Amino acid sequence: MKTYREVARVVYAPQSSDPFTFKHYDPEAVVLGKPMKEHLRFAMSYWHTIGGAGTDMFGGDTMDKKFGATDPLAIYKAKADFAFGLMDKLQLEYYCFHDADIAPEGKTFRESLGYFETMVDYLAALQKKHRKKLLWNTANNFSDKKFMAGAATSPNADVFAIAAAKVKAGLDAAKRLGAAGYVFWGGREGYDTLLNTDMGFELDNLARFLQMAVDYKRKIGFTGLFYIEPKPKEPTKHQYDFDAATCMNFLRKYHLETEFKLNIEANHATLAGHTFQHELRTAAINGAFGSIDANQGDLFLGWDTDQFPTNVYDTTLCMLEVLKAGGFTSGGLNFDAKARRQSNTFEDILLSYIAGMDAFALGLRMAVRLIEDGRIEDFVRHRYASYRSGIGAQIVAGTTDFDALFKHALTLQDVEVESGRQEYLETIFNEIMFGK
Ligand code: XUL
Ligand code: CO
């Protein structure tokens, strides 16, 4: 196997036995009218790939991600250089970061801000040189101990202020770096026990915080999209942004629904007891389909393992939802995923991205086949045919009422509902994936 340094660029070479090639991802290949790279808009997650070094609850790093530097700022510059070199190798056009991923933490907010601004300038130069784009950035308002009880939902107003200051700096950076979006993942916005929590007040504060972010976005003319990323639990027992439906309910209650889309994460969906496609569909039917954090969990472990996605059934069903929603506009597929702790070489970073990108490229190709085949879609259309004429059409048009429906019901004999044919439809799905 080649070493990390020996891999200049990962290219599409379906027949090659070189593991450092794409077998399904052909960035320029046009499917359904646009190149695969525009359908997929892959992004690198800075925190896992550039920051994460294998630490878990029971043990320390299994990789060195300091890249030979010792001075704090030099370490972060070396990380950034590595990040852009990696994106070049993998043909990744986008990246995503938290403020704390790109710059060292100072002792005070003021000191941290200085480092952050220096590194934003550094990234701006690298973006230009390597022709890369920022899909979204966000604030890490959850790791530091002052955020132990939340950020916008902290009982301490000074914590609320620091959280707001960090988001302000992040929005300034988003504008400077031309970010396509800005993400609000709840972090520790939630609670463990109502014995110490005023839930209603905390939610009001979260809405106040988000409204101020919207106001600031307008003030500086940042035109990227705002996303909320649902997650049901971890780190708190009850995260306020539980799932897509809970987020929409919150946004509507506080009249913020026109300002935010959703960033749906696969592993967060499964933690909420939903399928990935359920969450994507919920976002889409509420006009809130925005972006995706692509990964997969392990149902036997049941926590947020953030694994690179390799399950092609899931990537196919995901891309089917993306295509049905009209595709990405500002959003994309960010790999909020990390190589396993035992996959601790730089070669593994390449191999894990190749695995994820190929799984999604194959998923896209399969989703296109499902759409072009049309049998499943036709089945669903046919299933609701009774709403396109007679009493059904009147229900949809709003031209009937309970009295008229009562009269109609009295004329009916035994009503037969047609079979849902789940197994047959699953067979079609398999046939499309694997042939007859
Ligand atoms: C945490 C998570 C975050 C967000 C960004 O579970 O997914 O990394 O994507 O803060
Ligand atoms: Co995420």
Side-chain angles (χ1 to χ4, degrees):
M1 218 188 246
K2 287 180 190 158
T3 64
Y4 180 83
R5 270 169 185 279
E6 284 163 356
V7 181
R9 190 174 159 84
V10 178
V11 295
Y12 176 62
Q15 307 304 330
S16 168
S17 55
D18 178 358
F20 298 102
T21 54
F22 295 120
K23 300 297 181 296
H24 304 284
Y25 181 50
D26 185 2
E28 303 298 337
V30 174
V31 294
L32 287 185
K34 61 180 184 187
M36 288 183 100
K37 66 176 189 185
E38 284 176 30
H39 278 287
L40 296 162
R41 291 169 62 92
F42 288 132
M44 180 199 77
S45 66
Y46 218 97
W47 52 103
H48 292 307
T49 306
I50 309 304
T55 305
D56 71 9
M57 258 107 75
F58 304 95
D61 294 355
T62 57
M63 275 193 90
D64 182 352
K65 296 257 180 87
K66 294 193 187 68
F67 304 99
T70 44
D71 164 70
L73 211 48
I75 294 174
Y76 281 85
K77 285 185 178 168
K79 280 177 184 287
D81 294 339
F82 174 81
F84 281 76
L86 177 73
M87 286 189 267
D88 279 346
K89 283 183 201 274
L90 286 164
Q91 303 199 50
L92 286 164
E93 285 190 27
Y94 297 90
Y95 72 113
C96 302
F97 67 78
H98 300 80
D99 48 5
D101 303 329
I102 63 155
E105 287 274 345
K107 281 184 209 70
T108 58
F109 169 66
R110 192 183 289 277
E111 197 185 345
S112 298
L113 184 66
Y115 287 137
F116 179 68
E117 285 173 346
T118 303
M119 284 308 300
V120 168
D121 287 343
Y122 196 75
L123 292 181
L126 284 171
Q127 275 187 204
K128 208 163 164 207
K129 182 168 161 217
H130 293 257
R131 298 221 234 116
K132 302 295 175 200
K133 289 175 250 174
L134 184 58
L135 189 68
W136 51 259
N137 60 314
T138 185
N140 179 332
N141 283 352
F142 44 88
S143 293
D144 190 84
K145 88 174 187 327
K146 65 172 133 346
F147 297 121
M148 72 178 191
T153 68
S154 172
N156 184 311
D158 285 338
V159 173
F160 186 108
I162 292 179
K166 290 184 74 199
V167 172
K168 179 200 173 294
L171 292 173
D172 291 335
K175 183 165 185 222
R176 162 117 167 76
L177 296 172
Y182 188 89
V183 161
F184 295 85
W185 167 59
R188 293 180 194 274
E189 314 293 29
Y191 70 92
D192 295 323
T193 171
L194 284 175
L195 292 177
N196 65 14
T197 301
D198 185 341
M199 182 176 170
F201 180 71
E202 291 198 358
L203 283 162
D204 290 348
N205 271 352
L206 183 56
R208 290 181 184 109
F209 189 95
L210 295 176
Q211 183 61 57
M212 284 189 244
V214 169
D215 294 343
Y216 189 69
K217 172 188 177 182
R218 294 253 157 72
K219 188 169 163 188
I220 63 170
F222 172 58
T223 53
L225 291 184
F226 273 1
Y227 306 109
I228 297 216
E229 182 176 321
K231 185 174 184 180
K233 53 191 170 193
E234 289 182 35
T236 73
K237 180 170 168 178
H238 298 276
Q239 292 282 119
Y240 289 138
D241 300 327
F242 189 95
D243 60 1
T246 309
C247 289
M248 292 316 299
N249 182 56
F250 168 85
L251 290 170
R252 291 206 177 102
K253 176 176 175 186
Y254 295 100
H255 310 293
L256 287 162
E257 72 275 16
T258 56
E259 304 292 346
F260 290 84
K261 304 269 182 220
L262 299 178
N263 182 43
I264 301 295
E265 178 162 327
N267 201 173
H268 295 180
T270 46
L271 287 176
H274 299 308
T275 58
F276 188 14
Q277 61 282 19
H278 170 89
E279 285 294 86
L280 291 166
R281 182 72 65 93
T282 303
I285 63 176
N286 283 288
F289 169 72
S291 203
I292 290 177
D293 268 11
N295 59 24
Q296 68 187 27
D298 184 321
L299 293 181
F300 288 102
L301 295 176
W303 54 281
D304 195 11
T305 55
D306 285 339
Q307 292 167 224
F308 272 91
T310 51
N311 182 325
V312 180
Y313 278 100
D314 285 345
T315 59
T316 301
L317 289 165
C318 168
M319 289 315 297
L320 193 59
E321 293 304 319
V322 172
L323 293 173
K324 281 186 182 174
F328 292 115
T329 53
S330 297
L333 283 165
N334 165 52
F335 287 106
D336 191 353
K338 56 185 171 219
R340 297 302 81 199
R341 189 167 187 264
Q342 296 179 59
S343 304
N344 62 338
T345 68
F346 285 98
E347 292 72 32
D348 286 304
I349 297 178
L350 293 174
L351 294 169
S352 52
Y353 271 94
I354 293 168
M357 291 164 81
D358 259 348
F360 263 94
L362 186 53
L364 169 64
R365 289 180 193 270
M366 293 299 154
V368 171
R369 276 202 218 166
L370 280 161
I371 288 171
E372 284 172 348
D373 175 87
R375 275 177 290 172
I376 294 180
E377 190 132 354
D378 283 352
F379 182 88
V380 176
R381 233 187 92 70
H382 173 77
R383 203 163 179 228
Y384 297 90
S386 67
Y387 285 92
R388 290 195 289 276
S389 64
I391 195 75
Q394 288 174 32
I395 292 171
V396 173
T399 53
T400 186
D401 59 15
F402 263 24
D403 282 326
L405 289 167
F406 186 78
K407 253 191 227 150
H408 178 82
L410 290 176
T411 69
L412 296 173
Q413 306 300 312
D414 227 11
V415 177
E416 290 275 357
V417 178
E418 269 182 44
S419 165
R421 299 256 190 271
Q422 181 173 335
E423 298 79 359
Y424 165 66
L425 296 168
E426 287 167 351
T427 306
I428 294 179
F429 199 99
N430 280 349
E431 181 194 312
I432 283 167
M433 299 264 282
F434 306 108
K436 281 189 193 167

